[in-house]
Amino acid sequence: MTRTDEFEELRPLLFSIAYRILGSVSEAEDAVQDTWLRYEASPTQPTSAKAFLSAVVTRISIDVLRSARVRREQYTGQWLPEPLLTDPYEDPARSMELADSVSIASLLLLERLSPLERAVFVLREVFGFGFPEVASAVGRSQAACRQLAVRARRHMHEGRPRFEADRRERDELAARFFDALTEGDVDGLRELFSADVQMVGDGGGKAPALAQSVFGAEQVARVLAAIFPMLVRAGVALERHDVNGQPGAIFRDRDGNVLKTLTLDVLEGRIQAVRSVLNPDKLGHVGPVADAWAVKREAHQGIRSQSQGPVPSA
């Protein structure tokens, strides 16, 4: 098997490691490409291509994350990970860990960890690497990595209890949500939410988004029921699609361009969070990106033509 063949076989794993460390599709793809360049330039053939490449992509991702954190501290509004429509790596033996670790909720918890803690948690807890491999990847002793893993697990478990939601029940709840959303059914939406549900939008200052998060079943239901009809008037269509392994949707303008993605966080039979990514810099890998400001103007023009009152931002 050639180096190219070995690398292509491992590419899905390398991307999945990098994405979980970085929370960015574009940065993960760049990290994987840099890993290939280093592998191609290596004068010797490693004993294990998997161990070597996993270590390289991890180190690259840690370095990228350290610089990315400075930018995220200066980010305009709420920062959310770039939406991932499909995780290229599959492992039936670890399917639950893989699915949970790519959810928006888990990625946001990972943001609280130090870069080293995050890398150790991803390699050990998500992908099941042994501590010798983890230690080699992050450049620390096995004892230090064990301590990092303990701290990371504690932070992750304290931040979010794990619920093994039945996929069918979750999808049925999501179907009810999208039905109520398209019908503008405030009561129908309200009954699907937890009491402390949160709605968050990430526009990055480059697309219209909520100025701040909305909390509570009543408020979130009313805002959603007001916003969606505006989008429909502007020709926006909703396309159901899992996002980050959770029920979600892609919103497209009348030309089929991507306006935003929406993700539902479902726990204990209720929707706990509704998260939307509108920042065009985070949507290019999904497809051609819509002009969100133009969509907003069209939506508001439609409202004014019907002589209605003030409306919330789309």
Side-chain angles (χ1 to χ4, degrees):
M1 182 181 290
T2 67
R3 284 195 178 191
T4 301
D5 292 335
E6 286 179 325
F7 183 82
E8 290 304 322
E9 185 176 282
L10 291 166
R11 181 188 288 273
L13 171 63
L14 302 178
F15 172 84
S16 294
I17 290 172
Y19 177 76
R20 285 163 174 80
I21 294 175
L22 294 168
S24 165
V25 172
S26 56
E27 290 174 344
E29 290 174 342
D30 288 344
V32 171
Q33 182 60 27
D34 287 346
T35 299
W36 161 247
L37 294 175
R38 296 189 189 186
Y39 187 41
E40 185 182 36
S42 176
T44 59
Q45 179 65 25
T47 303
S48 168
K50 177 182 177 182
F52 176 83
L53 292 170
S54 298
V56 172
V57 81
T58 297
R59 292 170 194 156
I60 291 172
S61 297
I62 290 172
D63 289 342
V64 172
L65 180 61
R66 285 172 174 152
S67 61
R69 289 203 156 186
V70 176
R71 298 193 302 273
R72 291 175 191 178
E73 290 173 357
Q74 301 169 345
Y75 195 79
T76 301
Q78 173 71 53
W79 181 91
L80 292 176
E82 288 185 12
L84 183 68
L85 301 188
T86 304
D87 187 356
Y89 180 72
E90 296 180 359
D91 180 356
R94 305 191 68 81
S95 58
M96 185 173 296
E97 291 91 342
L98 291 170
D100 181 70
S101 64
V102 83
S103 71
I104 298 294
S106 290
L107 291 172
L108 289 173
L109 285 177
L110 284 169
E111 282 289 306
R112 302 179 185 179
L113 306 182
S114 72
L116 280 178
E117 287 173 341
R118 184 165 181 164
V120 168
F121 183 88
V122 167
L123 292 176
R124 176 63 182 170
E125 301 299 320
V126 178
F127 293 97
F129 280 69
F131 277 112
E133 296 169 298
V134 175
S136 175
V138 302
R140 295 292 188 276
S141 68
Q142 291 187 46
C145 288
R146 291 180 187 278
Q147 293 178 342
L148 288 166
V150 168
R151 290 203 299 269
R153 280 197 300 269
R154 183 174 65 248
H155 289 313
M156 293 295 289
H157 292 167
E158 288 175 353
R160 180 192 181 198
R162 294 170 62 94
F163 298 98
E164 298 179 10
D166 179 86
R167 185 177 181 88
R168 184 177 64 179
E169 292 180 358
R170 186 199 71 178
D171 290 345
E172 289 176 352
L173 182 67
R176 291 170 59 195
F177 167 84
F178 286 112
D179 285 345
L181 179 65
T182 55
E183 294 169 4
D185 182 358
V186 174
D187 293 335
L189 287 168
R190 187 194 305 112
E191 70 179 18
L192 301 176
F193 294 142
S194 66
D196 58 350
V197 64
Q198 177 186 19
M199 184 167 73
V200 180
D202 174 356
K206 299 182 178 182
L210 295 166
Q212 56 188 352
S213 300
V214 179
F215 295 91
E218 181 70 27
Q219 288 299 318
V220 172
R222 290 192 176 280
V223 171
L224 283 171
I227 288 176
F228 189 73
M230 294 170 54
L231 297 177
V232 171
R233 292 187 188 96
V236 173
L238 181 156
E239 173 187 310
R240 290 281 308 277
H241 200 296
D242 278 4
V243 180
N244 288 83
Q246 304 298 312
I250 302 170
F251 288 70
R252 299 183 184 274
D253 69 9
R254 62 175 71 257
D255 296 319
N257 298 319
V258 179
L259 175 67
K260 68 175 181 176
T261 61
L262 180 145
T263 312
L264 303 177
D265 191 6
V266 178
L267 294 174
E268 291 193 311
R270 288 287 184 272
I271 295 172
Q272 307 285 328
V274 181
R275 299 185 175 96
S276 296
V277 175
L278 300 96
N279 185 340
D281 293 345
K282 296 184 176 184
L283 298 174
H285 63 283
V286 180
V289 180
D291 183 341
W293 296 105
V295 171
K296 179 181 179 180
R297 287 193 297 271
E298 185 175 352
H300 280 262
Q301 287 169 358
I303 293 293
R304 284 195 296 270
S305 68
Q306 296 182 15
S307 300
Q308 295 187 6
V311 292
S313 172

